[in-house]
Amino acid sequence: MGTYRDSGVVLRTQKLGEADRIVTMLTRGRGVVRAVGRGVRKTSSRFGGRLEPFMHVDVQFAEGRSLDVIAQVVTIDPFASHLGADYAAYTAGTAMLETAERLVADTAEPSVPQYHLLVGALRALTEHRQPPDVLLDSFQLRSLAIAGYAPSFDGCARCGLEGPHRHFHAGSGGMLCDACRVPGSSVPSATTVALLAALLVGDWTAVGLADDRSRREAGGMVANYLSWHLERGLRSLAHVDR
C-alpha cells in the first residue's frame, strides 16, 4: 500500500460506521479527495479535531482500494476555530467550501489556483479584511473565472462591443449590448455593474465605495450566475447573512 502527502482544506465530513468519518477536502496536488479518517469520532482520537470543515491541514494518505485512508494530520491554519463564533463569516465560509467542491469536483482534475484562492479567502474571512458577504461574492466570481466561466462586465459578452452596457444575462456570460439583448435579461444599476467588476479583480478601494443596495443586488447576480453554470443552486447560500 503506497502513501502520499498533500496539503488541503477540509470541505465537509460524513459519518462512517461507529467511529470513522469520510473526509472530503480540496487538496493542492490532487483536487477534491475523499478519504477515511479511522476512529476520528472517538474522544481519544489524536487528530479528529483537525479534520473538521475549514481546517487547512497537511495530510499523509495511505492508498486504499476504494477510498484512501488518512494516516497523519498536521494543522497549517486552524480556520475552524476562528469562524465558529462569527455567524456571518461562518455562513459565508460554508458557501465558499460548497462552491469550491462543486467547481473542482466537476472538472475531475486538480486545480492549484482554486486551492490557493480558497485558502486566501478563508484567511481574509478570519482576519476580517472585508465584510463576509463581499468576500464571498468576490471568491465566487474568481472561482468561476478560474473554472473558465469568467463573466464579462465591460464588453458585450456576445459581440465584444465595449461598454458600458445595461443588460445582464447569466446564460450569455454577462453584460449585453442593446443589439444582443435576449429575453430574460435584467437591468442592474451602473453602480452594481461597477461593483461586480471590482469584485472580480479585487479592487477593494472601488468595492468600499459601493452602497448596501448595490451590494445586495450584486450578491443576487453572483448567485444567479453561479447557479446557471452549476445547473443548480448552492444549499448553503440560503443561510448566508446579508
Side-chain angles (χ1 to χ4, degrees), residues 56-84:
H56 182 208
V57 291
D58 180 83
V59 187
Q60 180 174 315
F61 298 92
E63 295 177 339
R65 290 184 178 180
S66 57
L67 291 173
D68 294 344
V69 177
I70 296 169
Q72 185 180 4
V73 184
V74 177
T75 300
I76 301 175
D77 294 296
F79 293 136
S81 63
H82 299 292
L83 297 175

PDB file of all heavy atoms in Angstrom, residues 56-84:
ATOM      1  N   HIS A  56      -7.253  23.870   7.530  1.00  0.00           N
ATOM      2  CA  HIS A  56      -6.220  23.819   6.498  1.00  0.00           C
ATOM      3  C   HIS A  56      -5.104  22.950   7.058  1.00  0.00           C
ATOM      4  O   HIS A  56      -4.477  23.318   8.064  1.00  0.00           O
ATOM      5  CB  HIS A  56      -5.727  25.237   6.193  1.00  0.00           C
ATOM      6  CG  HIS A  56      -4.699  25.309   5.109  1.00  0.00           C
ATOM      7  ND1 HIS A  56      -3.746  26.311   5.051  1.00  0.00           N
ATOM      8  CD2 HIS A  56      -4.465  24.511   4.025  1.00  0.00           C
ATOM      9  CE1 HIS A  56      -2.992  26.134   3.993  1.00  0.00           C
ATOM     10  NE2 HIS A  56      -3.401  25.059   3.354  1.00  0.00           N
ATOM     11  N   VAL A  57      -4.864  21.818   6.419  1.00  0.00           N
ATOM     12  CA  VAL A  57      -4.006  20.802   7.030  1.00  0.00           C
ATOM     13  C   VAL A  57      -3.016  20.210   6.029  1.00  0.00           C
ATOM     14  O   VAL A  57      -3.207  20.288   4.815  1.00  0.00           O
ATOM     15  CB  VAL A  57      -4.854  19.651   7.629  1.00  0.00           C
ATOM     16  CG1 VAL A  57      -5.631  20.141   8.844  1.00  0.00           C
ATOM     17  CG2 VAL A  57      -5.811  19.076   6.585  1.00  0.00           C
ATOM     18  N   ASP A  58      -1.957  19.628   6.583  1.00  0.00           N
ATOM     19  CA  ASP A  58      -1.019  18.815   5.833  1.00  0.00           C
ATOM     20  C   ASP A  58      -1.326  17.363   6.185  1.00  0.00           C
ATOM     21  O   ASP A  58      -1.376  17.007   7.362  1.00  0.00           O
ATOM     22  CB  ASP A  58       0.426  19.168   6.212  1.00  0.00           C
ATOM     23  CG  ASP A  58       1.438  18.336   5.456  1.00  0.00           C
ATOM     24  OD1 ASP A  58       1.762  18.697   4.316  1.00  0.00           O
ATOM     25  OD2 ASP A  58       1.895  17.315   6.012  1.00  0.00           O
ATOM     26  N   VAL A  59      -1.575  16.538   5.171  1.00  0.00           N
ATOM     27  CA  VAL A  59      -2.087  15.186   5.407  1.00  0.00           C
ATOM     28  C   VAL A  59      -1.210  14.135   4.741  1.00  0.00           C
ATOM     29  O   VAL A  59      -0.732  14.338   3.622  1.00  0.00           O
ATOM     30  CB  VAL A  59      -3.532  15.041   4.873  1.00  0.00           C
ATOM     31  CG1 VAL A  59      -4.122  13.695   5.284  1.00  0.00           C
ATOM     32  CG2 VAL A  59      -4.414  16.177   5.351  1.00  0.00           C
ATOM     33  N   GLN A  60      -1.008  13.032   5.444  1.00  0.00           N
ATOM     34  CA  GLN A  60      -0.403  11.853   4.831  1.00  0.00           C
ATOM     35  C   GLN A  60      -1.508  10.840   4.597  1.00  0.00           C
ATOM     36  O   GLN A  60      -2.254  10.494   5.519  1.00  0.00           O
ATOM     37  CB  GLN A  60       0.678  11.246   5.724  1.00  0.00           C
ATOM     38  CG  GLN A  60       1.317  10.002   5.098  1.00  0.00           C
ATOM     39  CD  GLN A  60       2.476   9.475   5.912  1.00  0.00           C
ATOM     40  OE1 GLN A  60       3.322  10.242   6.362  1.00  0.00           O
ATOM     41  NE2 GLN A  60       2.529   8.163   6.104  1.00  0.00           N
ATOM     42  N   PHE A  61      -1.621  10.386   3.351  1.00  0.00           N
ATOM     43  CA  PHE A  61      -2.657   9.426   2.965  1.00  0.00           C
ATOM     44  C   PHE A  61      -2.027   8.068   2.689  1.00  0.00           C
ATOM     45  O   PHE A  61      -0.918   7.981   2.152  1.00  0.00           O
ATOM     46  CB  PHE A  61      -3.377   9.879   1.691  1.00  0.00           C
ATOM     47  CG  PHE A  61      -4.106  11.175   1.800  1.00  0.00           C
ATOM     48  CD1 PHE A  61      -3.466  12.371   1.460  1.00  0.00           C
ATOM     49  CD2 PHE A  61      -5.430  11.229   2.207  1.00  0.00           C
ATOM     50  CE1 PHE A  61      -4.140  13.581   1.527  1.00  0.00           C
ATOM     51  CE2 PHE A  61      -6.114  12.433   2.278  1.00  0.00           C
ATOM     52  CZ  PHE A  61      -5.462  13.609   1.950  1.00  0.00           C
ATOM     53  N   ALA A  62      -2.761   7.011   3.023  1.00  0.00           N
ATOM     54  CA  ALA A  62      -2.408   5.662   2.604  1.00  0.00           C
ATOM     55  C   ALA A  62      -3.399   5.249   1.530  1.00  0.00           C
ATOM     56  O   ALA A  62      -4.618   5.363   1.717  1.00  0.00           O
ATOM     57  CB  ALA A  62      -2.460   4.692   3.788  1.00  0.00           C
ATOM     58  N   GLU A  63      -2.910   4.819   0.404  1.00  0.00           N
ATOM     59  CA  GLU A  63      -3.791   4.475  -0.711  1.00  0.00           C
ATOM     60  C   GLU A  63      -4.611   3.226  -0.388  1.00  0.00           C
ATOM     61  O   GLU A  63      -4.098   2.238   0.140  1.00  0.00           O
ATOM     62  CB  GLU A  63      -2.966   4.243  -1.979  1.00  0.00           C
ATOM     63  CG  GLU A  63      -2.254   5.505  -2.464  1.00  0.00           C
ATOM     64  CD  GLU A  63      -1.389   5.252  -3.674  1.00  0.00           C
ATOM     65  OE1 GLU A  63      -1.026   4.075  -3.898  1.00  0.00           O
ATOM     66  OE2 GLU A  63      -1.074   6.223  -4.399  1.00  0.00           O
ATOM     67  N   GLY A  64      -5.914   3.296  -0.673  1.00  0.00           N
ATOM     68  CA  GLY A  64      -6.815   2.178  -0.430  1.00  0.00           C
ATOM     69  C   GLY A  64      -7.480   1.721  -1.708  1.00  0.00           C
ATOM     70  O   GLY A  64      -7.311   2.324  -2.777  1.00  0.00           O
ATOM     71  N   ARG A  65      -8.276   0.664  -1.617  1.00  0.00           N
ATOM     72  CA  ARG A  65      -8.926   0.123  -2.808  1.00  0.00           C
ATOM     73  C   ARG A  65     -10.006   1.050  -3.341  1.00  0.00           C
ATOM     74  O   ARG A  65     -10.073   1.336  -4.532  1.00  0.00           O
ATOM     75  CB  ARG A  65      -9.528  -1.245  -2.477  1.00  0.00           C
ATOM     76  CG  ARG A  65      -8.489  -2.339  -2.252  1.00  0.00           C
ATOM     77  CD  ARG A  65      -9.157  -3.679  -2.034  1.00  0.00           C
ATOM     78  NE  ARG A  65      -8.175  -4.747  -1.853  1.00  0.00           N
ATOM     79  CZ  ARG A  65      -8.494  -6.020  -1.635  1.00  0.00           C
ATOM     80  NH1 ARG A  65      -9.781  -6.378  -1.563  1.00  0.00           N
ATOM     81  NH2 ARG A  65      -7.551  -6.931  -1.477  1.00  0.00           N
ATOM     82  N   SER A  66     -10.894   1.526  -2.459  1.00  0.00           N
ATOM     83  CA  SER A  66     -11.971   2.418  -2.890  1.00  0.00           C
ATOM     84  C   SER A  66     -11.745   3.834  -2.385  1.00  0.00           C
ATOM     85  O   SER A  66     -11.901   4.799  -3.138  1.00  0.00           O
ATOM     86  CB  SER A  66     -13.326   1.896  -2.408  1.00  0.00           C
ATOM     87  OG  SER A  66     -13.331   1.743  -0.996  1.00  0.00           O
ATOM     88  N   LEU A  67     -11.388   3.964  -1.119  1.00  0.00           N
ATOM     89  CA  LEU A  67     -11.088   5.265  -0.530  1.00  0.00           C
ATOM     90  C   LEU A  67      -9.721   5.210   0.129  1.00  0.00           C
ATOM     91  O   LEU A  67      -9.367   4.202   0.748  1.00  0.00           O
ATOM     92  CB  LEU A  67     -12.142   5.643   0.525  1.00  0.00           C
ATOM     93  CG  LEU A  67     -13.551   5.962   0.038  1.00  0.00           C
ATOM     94  CD1 LEU A  67     -14.475   6.143   1.227  1.00  0.00           C
ATOM     95  CD2 LEU A  67     -13.563   7.210  -0.836  1.00  0.00           C
ATOM     96  N   ASP A  68      -8.950   6.281  -0.009  1.00  0.00           N
ATOM     97  CA  ASP A  68      -7.683   6.361   0.701  1.00  0.00           C
ATOM     98  C   ASP A  68      -7.942   6.560   2.195  1.00  0.00           C
ATOM     99  O   ASP A  68      -9.040   6.956   2.601  1.00  0.00           O
ATOM    100  CB  ASP A  68      -6.835   7.506   0.146  1.00  0.00           C
ATOM    101  CG  ASP A  68      -6.396   7.250  -1.295  1.00  0.00           C
ATOM    102  OD1 ASP A  68      -6.486   6.090  -1.738  1.00  0.00           O
ATOM    103  OD2 ASP A  68      -5.979   8.209  -1.964  1.00  0.00           O
ATOM    104  N   VAL A  69      -6.933   6.310   2.996  1.00  0.00           N
ATOM    105  CA  VAL A  69      -7.060   6.405   4.449  1.00  0.00           C
ATOM    106  C   VAL A  69      -6.117   7.489   4.963  1.00  0.00           C
ATOM    107  O   VAL A  69      -4.956   7.575   4.534  1.00  0.00           O
ATOM    108  CB  VAL A  69      -6.728   5.057   5.126  1.00  0.00           C
ATOM    109  CG1 VAL A  69      -6.794   5.183   6.652  1.00  0.00           C
ATOM    110  CG2 VAL A  69      -7.686   3.972   4.643  1.00  0.00           C
ATOM    111  N   ILE A  70      -6.622   8.313   5.867  1.00  0.00           N
ATOM    112  CA  ILE A  70      -5.811   9.374   6.450  1.00  0.00           C
ATOM    113  C   ILE A  70      -4.942   8.775   7.553  1.00  0.00           C
ATOM    114  O   ILE A  70      -5.445   8.230   8.537  1.00  0.00           O
ATOM    115  CB  ILE A  70      -6.704  10.488   7.010  1.00  0.00           C
ATOM    116  CG1 ILE A  70      -7.490  11.147   5.863  1.00  0.00           C
ATOM    117  CG2 ILE A  70      -5.873  11.531   7.761  1.00  0.00           C
ATOM    118  CD1 ILE A  70      -8.589  12.072   6.319  1.00  0.00           C
ATOM    119  N   ALA A  71      -3.623   8.896   7.373  1.00  0.00           N
ATOM    120  CA  ALA A  71      -2.693   8.289   8.322  1.00  0.00           C
ATOM    121  C   ALA A  71      -2.120   9.301   9.314  1.00  0.00           C
ATOM    122  O   ALA A  71      -1.810   8.958  10.455  1.00  0.00           O
ATOM    123  CB  ALA A  71      -1.554   7.608   7.567  1.00  0.00           C
ATOM    124  N   GLN A  72      -1.980  10.546   8.888  1.00  0.00           N
ATOM    125  CA  GLN A  72      -1.386  11.575   9.750  1.00  0.00           C
ATOM    126  C   GLN A  72      -1.893  12.941   9.320  1.00  0.00           C
ATOM    127  O   GLN A  72      -2.091  13.186   8.122  1.00  0.00           O
ATOM    128  CB  GLN A  72       0.145  11.526   9.668  1.00  0.00           C
ATOM    129  CG  GLN A  72       0.860  12.477  10.617  1.00  0.00           C
ATOM    130  CD  GLN A  72       2.372  12.373  10.495  1.00  0.00           C
ATOM    131  OE1 GLN A  72       2.890  11.641   9.648  1.00  0.00           O
ATOM    132  NE2 GLN A  72       3.090  13.111  11.323  1.00  0.00           N
ATOM    133  N   VAL A  73      -2.089  13.827  10.298  1.00  0.00           N
ATOM    134  CA  VAL A  73      -2.597  15.170  10.004  1.00  0.00           C
ATOM    135  C   VAL A  73      -1.838  16.193  10.842  1.00  0.00           C
ATOM    136  O   VAL A  73      -1.682  16.019  12.052  1.00  0.00           O
ATOM    137  CB  VAL A  73      -4.101  15.312  10.314  1.00  0.00           C
ATOM    138  CG1 VAL A  73      -4.598  16.699   9.895  1.00  0.00           C
ATOM    139  CG2 VAL A  73      -4.900  14.239   9.630  1.00  0.00           C
ATOM    140  N   VAL A  74      -1.401  17.271  10.196  1.00  0.00           N
ATOM    141  CA  VAL A  74      -0.754  18.388  10.887  1.00  0.00           C
ATOM    142  C   VAL A  74      -1.490  19.665  10.506  1.00  0.00           C
ATOM    143  O   VAL A  74      -1.727  19.912   9.313  1.00  0.00           O
ATOM    144  CB  VAL A  74       0.740  18.504  10.509  1.00  0.00           C
ATOM    145  CG1 VAL A  74       1.364  19.726  11.191  1.00  0.00           C
ATOM    146  CG2 VAL A  74       1.494  17.239  10.888  1.00  0.00           C
ATOM    147  N   THR A  75      -1.860  20.471  11.485  1.00  0.00           N
ATOM    148  CA  THR A  75      -2.593  21.714  11.208  1.00  0.00           C
ATOM    149  C   THR A  75      -1.674  22.769  10.609  1.00  0.00           C
ATOM    150  O   THR A  75      -0.576  23.014  11.117  1.00  0.00           O
ATOM    151  CB  THR A  75      -3.217  22.267  12.499  1.00  0.00           C
ATOM    152  OG1 THR A  75      -4.124  21.301  13.038  1.00  0.00           O
ATOM    153  CG2 THR A  75      -3.967  23.571  12.239  1.00  0.00           C
ATOM    154  N   ILE A  76      -2.136  23.387   9.533  1.00  0.00           N
ATOM    155  CA  ILE A  76      -1.444  24.538   8.949  1.00  0.00           C
ATOM    156  C   ILE A  76      -2.112  25.828   9.406  1.00  0.00           C
ATOM    157  O   ILE A  76      -1.468  26.732   9.932  1.00  0.00           O
ATOM    158  CB  ILE A  76      -1.443  24.457   7.405  1.00  0.00           C
ATOM    159  CG1 ILE A  76      -0.752  23.184   6.926  1.00  0.00           C
ATOM    160  CG2 ILE A  76      -0.760  25.693   6.811  1.00  0.00           C
ATOM    161  CD1 ILE A  76      -0.820  22.967   5.420  1.00  0.00           C
ATOM    162  N   ASP A  77      -3.424  25.926   9.198  1.00  0.00           N
ATOM    163  CA  ASP A  77      -4.209  27.090   9.640  1.00  0.00           C
ATOM    164  C   ASP A  77      -5.494  26.585  10.286  1.00  0.00           C
ATOM    165  O   ASP A  77      -6.298  25.922   9.618  1.00  0.00           O
ATOM    166  CB  ASP A  77      -4.575  27.995   8.455  1.00  0.00           C
ATOM    167  CG  ASP A  77      -3.370  28.655   7.816  1.00  0.00           C
ATOM    168  OD1 ASP A  77      -2.720  29.451   8.516  1.00  0.00           O
ATOM    169  OD2 ASP A  77      -3.086  28.372   6.640  1.00  0.00           O
ATOM    170  N   PRO A  78      -5.732  26.911  11.562  1.00  0.00           N
ATOM    171  CA  PRO A  78      -6.961  26.453  12.236  1.00  0.00           C
ATOM    172  C   PRO A  78      -8.139  27.384  11.956  1.00  0.00           C
ATOM    173  O   PRO A  78      -8.716  27.987  12.875  1.00  0.00           O
ATOM    174  CB  PRO A  78      -6.554  26.480  13.711  1.00  0.00           C
ATOM    175  CG  PRO A  78      -5.580  27.621  13.796  1.00  0.00           C
ATOM    176  CD  PRO A  78      -4.825  27.618  12.487  1.00  0.00           C
ATOM    177  N   PHE A  79      -8.529  27.495  10.688  1.00  0.00           N
ATOM    178  CA  PHE A  79      -9.595  28.432  10.329  1.00  0.00           C
ATOM    179  C   PHE A  79     -10.897  28.131  11.071  1.00  0.00           C
ATOM    180  O   PHE A  79     -11.658  29.049  11.386  1.00  0.00           O
ATOM    181  CB  PHE A  79      -9.844  28.385   8.821  1.00  0.00           C
ATOM    182  CG  PHE A  79      -8.715  28.903   7.986  1.00  0.00           C
ATOM    183  CD1 PHE A  79      -8.301  28.215   6.852  1.00  0.00           C
ATOM    184  CD2 PHE A  79      -8.065  30.079   8.312  1.00  0.00           C
ATOM    185  CE1 PHE A  79      -7.265  28.686   6.060  1.00  0.00           C
ATOM    186  CE2 PHE A  79      -7.019  30.568   7.534  1.00  0.00           C
ATOM    187  CZ  PHE A  79      -6.620  29.860   6.404  1.00  0.00           C
ATOM    188  N   ALA A  80     -11.172  26.864  11.352  1.00  0.00           N
ATOM    189  CA  ALA A  80     -12.434  26.494  12.008  1.00  0.00           C
ATOM    190  C   ALA A  80     -12.580  27.155  13.357  1.00  0.00           C
ATOM    191  O   ALA A  80     -13.679  27.568  13.752  1.00  0.00           O
ATOM    192  CB  ALA A  80     -12.524  24.972  12.147  1.00  0.00           C
ATOM    193  N   SER A  81     -11.484  27.292  14.101  1.00  0.00           N
ATOM    194  CA  SER A  81     -11.567  27.871  15.443  1.00  0.00           C
ATOM    195  C   SER A  81     -11.892  29.356  15.409  1.00  0.00           C
ATOM    196  O   SER A  81     -12.415  29.910  16.380  1.00  0.00           O
ATOM    197  CB  SER A  81     -10.242  27.645  16.187  1.00  0.00           C
ATOM    198  OG  SER A  81      -9.170  28.303  15.529  1.00  0.00           O
ATOM    199  N   HIS A  82     -11.598  30.013  14.292  1.00  0.00           N
ATOM    200  CA  HIS A  82     -11.872  31.448  14.169  1.00  0.00           C
ATOM    201  C   HIS A  82     -13.278  31.731  13.642  1.00  0.00           C
ATOM    202  O   HIS A  82     -13.858  32.778  13.943  1.00  0.00           O
ATOM    203  CB  HIS A  82     -10.853  32.098  13.236  1.00  0.00           C
ATOM    204  CG  HIS A  82      -9.438  31.999  13.705  1.00  0.00           C
ATOM    205  ND1 HIS A  82      -8.954  32.661  14.811  1.00  0.00           N
ATOM    206  CD2 HIS A  82      -8.392  31.279  13.213  1.00  0.00           C
ATOM    207  CE1 HIS A  82      -7.682  32.381  14.985  1.00  0.00           C
ATOM    208  NE2 HIS A  82      -7.312  31.544  14.022  1.00  0.00           N
ATOM    209  N   LEU A  83     -13.815  30.823  12.840  1.00  0.00           N
ATOM    210  CA  LEU A  83     -15.092  31.084  12.175  1.00  0.00           C
ATOM    211  C   LEU A  83     -16.299  30.612  12.969  1.00  0.00           C
ATOM    212  O   LEU A  83     -17.413  31.076  12.730  1.00  0.00           O
ATOM    213  CB  LEU A  83     -15.096  30.409  10.792  1.00  0.00           C
ATOM    214  CG  LEU A  83     -14.054  30.926   9.802  1.00  0.00           C
ATOM    215  CD1 LEU A  83     -14.085  30.101   8.523  1.00  0.00           C
ATOM    216  CD2 LEU A  83     -14.277  32.392   9.492  1.00  0.00           C
ATOM    217  N   GLY A  84     -16.100  29.707  13.903  1.00  0.00           N
ATOM    218  CA  GLY A  84     -17.234  29.113  14.615  1.00  0.00           C
ATOM    219  C   GLY A  84     -18.070  30.091  15.408  1.00  0.00           C
ATOM    220  O   GLY A  84     -19.277  29.896  15.571  1.00  0.00           O
TER     221      GLY A  84
END
